[in-house]
PDB file of all heavy atoms in Angstrom:
ATOM      1  N   GLN A  33    -102.903 131.733 -84.084  1.00  0.00           N
ATOM      2  CA  GLN A  33    -104.253 131.252 -84.212  1.00  0.00           C
ATOM      3  C   GLN A  33    -104.142 129.751 -84.364  1.00  0.00           C
ATOM      4  O   GLN A  33    -103.514 129.234 -85.257  1.00  0.00           O
ATOM      5  CB  GLN A  33    -104.928 131.800 -85.423  1.00  0.00           C
ATOM      6  CG  GLN A  33    -105.305 133.287 -85.325  1.00  0.00           C
ATOM      7  CD  GLN A  33    -106.091 133.825 -86.600  1.00  0.00           C
ATOM      8  OE1 GLN A  33    -105.777 133.285 -87.682  1.00  0.00           O
ATOM      9  NE2 GLN A  33    -106.872 134.713 -86.405  1.00  0.00           N
ATOM     10  N   SER A  68    -120.258 129.847 -88.035  1.00  0.00           N
ATOM     11  CA  SER A  68    -120.979 129.190 -89.059  1.00  0.00           C
ATOM     12  C   SER A  68    -120.603 127.776 -89.152  1.00  0.00           C
ATOM     13  O   SER A  68    -119.591 127.259 -88.661  1.00  0.00           O
ATOM     14  CB  SER A  68    -120.698 129.852 -90.454  1.00  0.00           C
ATOM     15  OG  SER A  68    -119.159 129.890 -90.627  1.00  0.00           O
ATOM     16  N   TYR A  70    -120.715 124.102 -91.884  1.00  0.00           N
ATOM     17  CA  TYR A  70    -120.713 123.728 -93.215  1.00  0.00           C
ATOM     18  C   TYR A  70    -120.814 122.145 -93.266  1.00  0.00           C
ATOM     19  O   TYR A  70    -120.236 121.412 -92.495  1.00  0.00           O
ATOM     20  CB  TYR A  70    -119.479 124.028 -94.014  1.00  0.00           C
ATOM     21  CG  TYR A  70    -119.293 125.618 -93.960  1.00  0.00           C
ATOM     22  CD1 TYR A  70    -118.726 126.266 -92.938  1.00  0.00           C
ATOM     23  CD2 TYR A  70    -119.805 126.409 -95.057  1.00  0.00           C
ATOM     24  CE1 TYR A  70    -118.684 127.646 -92.876  1.00  0.00           C
ATOM     25  CE2 TYR A  70    -119.781 127.769 -94.950  1.00  0.00           C
ATOM     26  CZ  TYR A  70    -119.167 128.341 -93.874  1.00  0.00           C
ATOM     27  OH  TYR A  70    -119.127 129.681 -93.828  1.00  0.00           O
ATOM     28  N   GLN A  72    -120.094 118.931 -95.831  1.00  0.00           N
ATOM     29  CA  GLN A  72    -119.345 118.588 -97.039  1.00  0.00           C
ATOM     30  C   GLN A  72    -119.389 117.059 -97.253  1.00  0.00           C
ATOM     31  O   GLN A  72    -118.765 116.330 -96.574  1.00  0.00           O
ATOM     32  CB  GLN A  72    -117.851 119.046 -96.925  1.00  0.00           C
ATOM     33  CG  GLN A  72    -117.074 118.885 -98.187  1.00  0.00           C
ATOM     34  CD  GLN A  72    -115.615 119.335 -98.105  1.00  0.00           C
ATOM     35  OE1 GLN A  72    -114.980 119.198 -97.023  1.00  0.00           O
ATOM     36  NE2 GLN A  72    -115.094 119.829 -99.139  1.00  0.00           N
ATOM     37  N   THR A  77    -118.453 120.373-102.720  1.00  0.00           N
ATOM     38  CA  THR A  77    -118.176 121.664-102.228  1.00  0.00           C
ATOM     39  C   THR A  77    -118.888 121.839-100.883  1.00  0.00           C
ATOM     40  O   THR A  77    -120.027 121.386-100.671  1.00  0.00           O
ATOM     41  CB  THR A  77    -118.645 122.685-103.101  1.00  0.00           C
ATOM     42  OG1 THR A  77    -117.981 122.614-104.394  1.00  0.00           O
ATOM     43  CG2 THR A  77    -118.434 124.107-102.594  1.00  0.00           C
ATOM     44  N   PRO A  78    -118.264 122.503 -99.889  1.00  0.00           N
ATOM     45  CA  PRO A  78    -118.884 122.699 -98.552  1.00  0.00           C
ATOM     46  C   PRO A  78    -120.243 123.535 -98.894  1.00  0.00           C
ATOM     47  O   PRO A  78    -120.363 124.434 -99.623  1.00  0.00           O
ATOM     48  CB  PRO A  78    -117.929 123.550 -97.806  1.00  0.00           C
ATOM     49  CG  PRO A  78    -116.622 123.146 -98.374  1.00  0.00           C
ATOM     50  CD  PRO A  78    -116.855 122.935 -99.836  1.00  0.00           C
ATOM     51  N   TYR A  83    -125.361 130.010 -89.985  1.00  0.00           N
ATOM     52  CA  TYR A  83    -124.546 131.226 -89.913  1.00  0.00           C
ATOM     53  C   TYR A  83    -124.903 132.135 -88.777  1.00  0.00           C
ATOM     54  O   TYR A  83    -126.034 131.974 -88.281  1.00  0.00           O
ATOM     55  CB  TYR A  83    -124.525 132.119 -91.258  1.00  0.00           C
ATOM     56  CG  TYR A  83    -125.815 132.678 -91.600  1.00  0.00           C
ATOM     57  CD1 TYR A  83    -126.117 134.028 -91.230  1.00  0.00           C
ATOM     58  CD2 TYR A  83    -126.822 132.043 -92.205  1.00  0.00           C
ATOM     59  CE1 TYR A  83    -127.282 134.625 -91.447  1.00  0.00           C
ATOM     60  CE2 TYR A  83    -128.014 132.645 -92.499  1.00  0.00           C
ATOM     61  CZ  TYR A  83    -128.253 133.905 -92.252  1.00  0.00           C
ATOM     62  OH  TYR A  83    -129.436 134.539 -92.384  1.00  0.00           O
ATOM     63  N   TYR A 121    -117.945 121.018 -90.707  1.00  0.00           N
ATOM     64  CA  TYR A 121    -116.932 121.995 -90.264  1.00  0.00           C
ATOM     65  C   TYR A 121    -117.516 123.164 -89.643  1.00  0.00           C
ATOM     66  O   TYR A 121    -118.540 123.769 -90.238  1.00  0.00           O
ATOM     67  CB  TYR A 121    -116.105 122.417 -91.440  1.00  0.00           C
ATOM     68  CG  TYR A 121    -115.187 121.306 -92.080  1.00  0.00           C
ATOM     69  CD1 TYR A 121    -115.676 120.558 -93.125  1.00  0.00           C
ATOM     70  CD2 TYR A 121    -113.913 121.071 -91.634  1.00  0.00           C
ATOM     71  CE1 TYR A 121    -114.949 119.534 -93.673  1.00  0.00           C
ATOM     72  CE2 TYR A 121    -113.173 120.031 -92.173  1.00  0.00           C
ATOM     73  CZ  TYR A 121    -113.669 119.312 -93.190  1.00  0.00           C
ATOM     74  OH  TYR A 121    -112.911 118.316 -93.667  1.00  0.00           O
ATOM     75  N   TYR A 129    -110.489 140.888 -89.197  1.00  0.00           N
ATOM     76  CA  TYR A 129    -110.964 140.334 -90.473  1.00  0.00           C
ATOM     77  C   TYR A 129    -110.198 138.908 -90.776  1.00  0.00           C
ATOM     78  O   TYR A 129    -109.885 138.653 -91.885  1.00  0.00           O
ATOM     79  CB  TYR A 129    -110.605 141.237 -91.664  1.00  0.00           C
ATOM     80  CG  TYR A 129    -111.394 142.537 -91.561  1.00  0.00           C
ATOM     81  CD1 TYR A 129    -111.033 143.590 -90.804  1.00  0.00           C
ATOM     82  CD2 TYR A 129    -112.636 142.618 -92.294  1.00  0.00           C
ATOM     83  CE1 TYR A 129    -111.820 144.782 -90.759  1.00  0.00           C
ATOM     84  CE2 TYR A 129    -113.434 143.703 -92.275  1.00  0.00           C
ATOM     85  CZ  TYR A 129    -112.977 144.804 -91.418  1.00  0.00           C
ATOM     86  OH  TYR A 129    -113.789 145.983 -91.434  1.00  0.00           O
ATOM     87  N   THR A 130    -110.137 138.080 -89.776  1.00  0.00           N
ATOM     88  CA  THR A 130    -109.585 136.716 -90.011  1.00  0.00           C
ATOM     89  C   THR A 130    -110.617 135.682 -89.612  1.00  0.00           C
ATOM     90  O   THR A 130    -111.517 136.036 -88.896  1.00  0.00           O
ATOM     91  CB  THR A 130    -108.317 136.569 -89.161  1.00  0.00           C
ATOM     92  OG1 THR A 130    -108.646 136.549 -87.741  1.00  0.00           O
ATOM     93  CG2 THR A 130    -107.190 137.509 -89.433  1.00  0.00           C
ATOM     94  N   LEU A 131    -110.521 134.513 -90.300  1.00  0.00           N
ATOM     95  CA  LEU A 131    -111.360 133.429 -90.055  1.00  0.00           C
ATOM     96  C   LEU A 131    -110.621 132.208 -89.610  1.00  0.00           C
ATOM     97  O   LEU A 131    -109.437 131.971 -89.912  1.00  0.00           O
ATOM     98  CB  LEU A 131    -112.108 133.089 -91.410  1.00  0.00           C
ATOM     99  CG  LEU A 131    -113.110 134.074 -91.858  1.00  0.00           C
ATOM    100  CD1 LEU A 131    -113.659 133.496 -93.235  1.00  0.00           C
ATOM    101  CD2 LEU A 131    -114.229 134.235 -90.896  1.00  0.00           C
ATOM    102  N   PHE A 133    -111.229 127.866 -89.127  1.00  0.00           N
ATOM    103  CA  PHE A 133    -112.012 126.737 -89.231  1.00  0.00           C
ATOM    104  C   PHE A 133    -111.729 125.632 -88.165  1.00  0.00           C
ATOM    105  O   PHE A 133    -110.681 125.637 -87.635  1.00  0.00           O
ATOM    106  CB  PHE A 133    -111.809 126.098 -90.670  1.00  0.00           C
ATOM    107  CG  PHE A 133    -112.511 126.803 -91.774  1.00  0.00           C
ATOM    108  CD1 PHE A 133    -111.967 127.848 -92.454  1.00  0.00           C
ATOM    109  CD2 PHE A 133    -113.838 126.470 -92.093  1.00  0.00           C
ATOM    110  CE1 PHE A 133    -112.476 128.480 -93.471  1.00  0.00           C
ATOM    111  CE2 PHE A 133    -114.456 127.081 -93.188  1.00  0.00           C
ATOM    112  CZ  PHE A 133    -113.752 128.123 -93.878  1.00  0.00           C
TER     113      PHE A 133
ATOM    114  N   TYR B  91    -117.156 140.196 -99.296  1.00  0.00           N
ATOM    115  CA  TYR B  91    -115.837 140.027 -99.427  1.00  0.00           C
ATOM    116  C   TYR B  91    -115.545 138.792-100.394  1.00  0.00           C
ATOM    117  O   TYR B  91    -116.522 138.060-100.563  1.00  0.00           O
ATOM    118  CB  TYR B  91    -115.112 139.893 -98.117  1.00  0.00           C
ATOM    119  CG  TYR B  91    -115.078 141.133 -97.315  1.00  0.00           C
ATOM    120  CD1 TYR B  91    -116.273 141.637 -96.760  1.00  0.00           C
ATOM    121  CD2 TYR B  91    -113.863 141.662 -96.971  1.00  0.00           C
ATOM    122  CE1 TYR B  91    -116.294 142.829 -95.966  1.00  0.00           C
ATOM    123  CE2 TYR B  91    -113.801 142.921 -96.105  1.00  0.00           C
ATOM    124  CZ  TYR B  91    -115.042 143.318 -95.705  1.00  0.00           C
ATOM    125  OH  TYR B  91    -115.041 144.600 -94.919  1.00  0.00           O
ATOM    126  N   GLN B  97    -107.979 123.165 -98.969  1.00  0.00           N
ATOM    127  CA  GLN B  97    -108.218 121.928 -98.250  1.00  0.00           C
ATOM    128  C   GLN B  97    -107.270 120.903 -98.761  1.00  0.00           C
ATOM    129  O   GLN B  97    -107.411 120.273 -99.853  1.00  0.00           O
ATOM    130  CB  GLN B  97    -109.687 121.466 -98.437  1.00  0.00           C
ATOM    131  CG  GLN B  97    -110.049 120.227 -97.612  1.00  0.00           C
ATOM    132  CD  GLN B  97    -111.575 119.922 -97.721  1.00  0.00           C
ATOM    133  OE1 GLN B  97    -112.220 120.137 -98.644  1.00  0.00           O
ATOM    134  NE2 GLN B  97    -112.085 119.288 -96.594  1.00  0.00           N
ATOM    135  N   LEU B 103    -110.454 122.387 -93.617  1.00  0.00           N
ATOM    136  CA  LEU B 103    -110.506 123.643 -94.429  1.00  0.00           C
ATOM    137  C   LEU B 103    -109.556 124.646 -93.692  1.00  0.00           C
ATOM    138  O   LEU B 103    -109.433 124.649 -92.456  1.00  0.00           O
ATOM    139  CB  LEU B 103    -111.902 124.192 -94.402  1.00  0.00           C
ATOM    140  CG  LEU B 103    -112.954 123.209 -95.144  1.00  0.00           C
ATOM    141  CD1 LEU B 103    -114.284 123.723 -94.840  1.00  0.00           C
ATOM    142  CD2 LEU B 103    -112.707 123.283 -96.600  1.00  0.00           C
ATOM    143  N   TRP B 105    -108.704 128.843 -94.160  1.00  0.00           N
ATOM    144  CA  TRP B 105    -108.857 130.191 -94.758  1.00  0.00           C
ATOM    145  C   TRP B 105    -107.511 130.718 -95.122  1.00  0.00           C
ATOM    146  O   TRP B 105    -106.595 130.773 -94.298  1.00  0.00           O
ATOM    147  CB  TRP B 105    -109.630 131.086 -93.745  1.00  0.00           C
ATOM    148  CG  TRP B 105    -109.670 132.541 -94.246  1.00  0.00           C
ATOM    149  CD1 TRP B 105    -110.482 133.056 -95.252  1.00  0.00           C
ATOM    150  CD2 TRP B 105    -109.045 133.630 -93.756  1.00  0.00           C
ATOM    151  NE1 TRP B 105    -110.353 134.337 -95.382  1.00  0.00           N
ATOM    152  CE2 TRP B 105    -109.494 134.816 -94.419  1.00  0.00           C
ATOM    153  CE3 TRP B 105    -108.148 133.873 -92.690  1.00  0.00           C
ATOM    154  CZ2 TRP B 105    -108.956 136.112 -94.229  1.00  0.00           C
ATOM    155  CZ3 TRP B 105    -107.586 135.121 -92.465  1.00  0.00           C
ATOM    156  CH2 TRP B 105    -108.018 136.191 -93.283  1.00  0.00           C
ATOM    157  N   TYR B 116    -106.880 140.914 -96.474  1.00  0.00           N
ATOM    158  CA  TYR B 116    -106.743 140.219 -95.219  1.00  0.00           C
ATOM    159  C   TYR B 116    -106.239 138.784 -95.287  1.00  0.00           C
ATOM    160  O   TYR B 116    -106.764 138.188 -96.182  1.00  0.00           O
ATOM    161  CB  TYR B 116    -108.135 140.332 -94.416  1.00  0.00           C
ATOM    162  CG  TYR B 116    -108.804 141.668 -94.620  1.00  0.00           C
ATOM    163  CD1 TYR B 116    -109.678 141.907 -95.586  1.00  0.00           C
ATOM    164  CD2 TYR B 116    -108.512 142.672 -93.658  1.00  0.00           C
ATOM    165  CE1 TYR B 116    -110.211 143.198 -95.724  1.00  0.00           C
ATOM    166  CE2 TYR B 116    -109.058 143.955 -93.841  1.00  0.00           C
ATOM    167  CZ  TYR B 116    -109.982 144.188 -94.849  1.00  0.00           C
ATOM    168  OH  TYR B 116    -110.502 145.424 -94.942  1.00  0.00           O
ATOM    169  N   PRO B 119    -102.585 134.757 -90.818  1.00  0.00           N
ATOM    170  CA  PRO B 119    -101.308 135.131 -90.293  1.00  0.00           C
ATOM    171  C   PRO B 119    -100.218 134.128 -90.569  1.00  0.00           C
ATOM    172  O   PRO B 119     -98.991 134.505 -90.757  1.00  0.00           O
ATOM    173  CB  PRO B 119    -101.573 135.277 -88.745  1.00  0.00           C
ATOM    174  CG  PRO B 119    -103.012 135.631 -88.663  1.00  0.00           C
ATOM    175  CD  PRO B 119    -103.743 134.926 -89.788  1.00  0.00           C
ATOM    176  N   LEU B 156    -117.789 135.895 -99.302  1.00  0.00           N
ATOM    177  CA  LEU B 156    -117.982 135.954 -97.938  1.00  0.00           C
ATOM    178  C   LEU B 156    -118.921 137.018 -97.628  1.00  0.00           C
ATOM    179  O   LEU B 156    -118.838 138.172 -98.094  1.00  0.00           O
ATOM    180  CB  LEU B 156    -116.701 136.059 -97.202  1.00  0.00           C
ATOM    181  CG  LEU B 156    -115.661 134.957 -97.334  1.00  0.00           C
ATOM    182  CD1 LEU B 156    -114.716 135.182 -98.501  1.00  0.00           C
ATOM    183  CD2 LEU B 156    -114.881 134.713 -96.056  1.00  0.00           C
ATOM    184  N   ASN B 159    -116.954 139.294 -94.533  1.00  0.00           N
ATOM    185  CA  ASN B 159    -115.748 138.488 -94.148  1.00  0.00           C
ATOM    186  C   ASN B 159    -115.999 137.743 -92.805  1.00  0.00           C
ATOM    187  O   ASN B 159    -115.037 137.328 -92.150  1.00  0.00           O
ATOM    188  CB  ASN B 159    -114.482 139.372 -94.098  1.00  0.00           C
ATOM    189  CG  ASN B 159    -113.332 138.601 -94.372  1.00  0.00           C
ATOM    190  OD1 ASN B 159    -113.285 137.900 -95.419  1.00  0.00           O
ATOM    191  ND2 ASN B 159    -112.216 138.742 -93.539  1.00  0.00           N
ATOM    192  N   TYR B 160    -117.349 137.439 -92.593  1.00  0.00           N
ATOM    193  CA  TYR B 160    -117.625 136.671 -91.284  1.00  0.00           C
ATOM    194  C   TYR B 160    -117.841 135.187 -91.635  1.00  0.00           C
ATOM    195  O   TYR B 160    -117.565 134.379 -90.795  1.00  0.00           O
ATOM    196  CB  TYR B 160    -118.865 137.282 -90.634  1.00  0.00           C
ATOM    197  CG  TYR B 160    -118.679 138.599 -90.253  1.00  0.00           C
ATOM    198  CD1 TYR B 160    -119.686 139.621 -90.414  1.00  0.00           C
ATOM    199  CD2 TYR B 160    -117.573 139.145 -89.532  1.00  0.00           C
ATOM    200  CE1 TYR B 160    -119.611 140.935 -90.027  1.00  0.00           C
ATOM    201  CE2 TYR B 160    -117.434 140.477 -89.189  1.00  0.00           C
ATOM    202  CZ  TYR B 160    -118.433 141.319 -89.359  1.00  0.00           C
ATOM    203  OH  TYR B 160    -118.294 142.648 -88.920  1.00  0.00           O
ATOM    204  N   PRO B 162    -117.997 132.312 -95.290  1.00  0.00           N
ATOM    205  CA  PRO B 162    -118.203 132.051 -96.727  1.00  0.00           C
ATOM    206  C   PRO B 162    -119.621 131.498 -97.015  1.00  0.00           C
ATOM    207  O   PRO B 162    -120.051 130.634 -96.277  1.00  0.00           O
ATOM    208  CB  PRO B 162    -117.165 130.978 -97.025  1.00  0.00           C
ATOM    209  CG  PRO B 162    -116.210 130.851 -95.872  1.00  0.00           C
ATOM    210  CD  PRO B 162    -117.050 131.298 -94.650  1.00  0.00           C
ATOM    211  N   TRP B 165    -119.437 129.118-102.616  1.00  0.00           N
ATOM    212  CA  TRP B 165    -118.188 128.483-102.993  1.00  0.00           C
ATOM    213  C   TRP B 165    -117.973 128.089-104.378  1.00  0.00           C
ATOM    214  O   TRP B 165    -119.028 127.644-105.030  1.00  0.00           O
ATOM    215  CB  TRP B 165    -117.906 127.229-102.048  1.00  0.00           C
ATOM    216  CG  TRP B 165    -118.021 127.401-100.577  1.00  0.00           C
ATOM    217  CD1 TRP B 165    -119.095 127.696 -99.843  1.00  0.00           C
ATOM    218  CD2 TRP B 165    -116.989 127.134 -99.662  1.00  0.00           C
ATOM    219  NE1 TRP B 165    -118.736 127.768 -98.544  1.00  0.00           N
ATOM    220  CE2 TRP B 165    -117.464 127.336 -98.366  1.00  0.00           C
ATOM    221  CE3 TRP B 165    -115.680 126.668 -99.826  1.00  0.00           C
ATOM    222  CZ2 TRP B 165    -116.652 127.160 -97.207  1.00  0.00           C
ATOM    223  CZ3 TRP B 165    -114.905 126.459 -98.668  1.00  0.00           C
ATOM    224  CH2 TRP B 165    -115.414 126.723 -97.390  1.00  0.00           C
ATOM    225  N   GLN B 167    -116.283 125.336-107.057  1.00  0.00           N
ATOM    226  CA  GLN B 167    -116.111 123.844-107.005  1.00  0.00           C
ATOM    227  C   GLN B 167    -114.713 123.443-106.509  1.00  0.00           C
ATOM    228  O   GLN B 167    -114.620 122.329-105.973  1.00  0.00           O
ATOM    229  CB  GLN B 167    -116.457 123.255-108.313  1.00  0.00           C
ATOM    230  CG  GLN B 167    -115.488 123.573-109.390  1.00  0.00           C
ATOM    231  CD  GLN B 167    -115.937 122.946-110.753  1.00  0.00           C
ATOM    232  OE1 GLN B 167    -116.982 122.563-110.937  1.00  0.00           O
ATOM    233  NE2 GLN B 167    -114.967 122.816-111.687  1.00  0.00           N
TER     234      GLN B 167
END
Side-chain angles (χ1 to χ4, degrees):
Chain A
Q33 291 183 327
S68 51
Y70 301 84
Q72 186 181 34
T77 298
Y83 67 95
Y121 293 90
Y129 290 90
T130 62
L131 290 177
F133 281 95
Chain B
Y91 290 66
Q97 185 171 30
L103 300 165
W105 174 72
Y116 313 93
L156 297 91
N159 211 46
Y160 298 135
W165 300 63
Q167 64 182 20

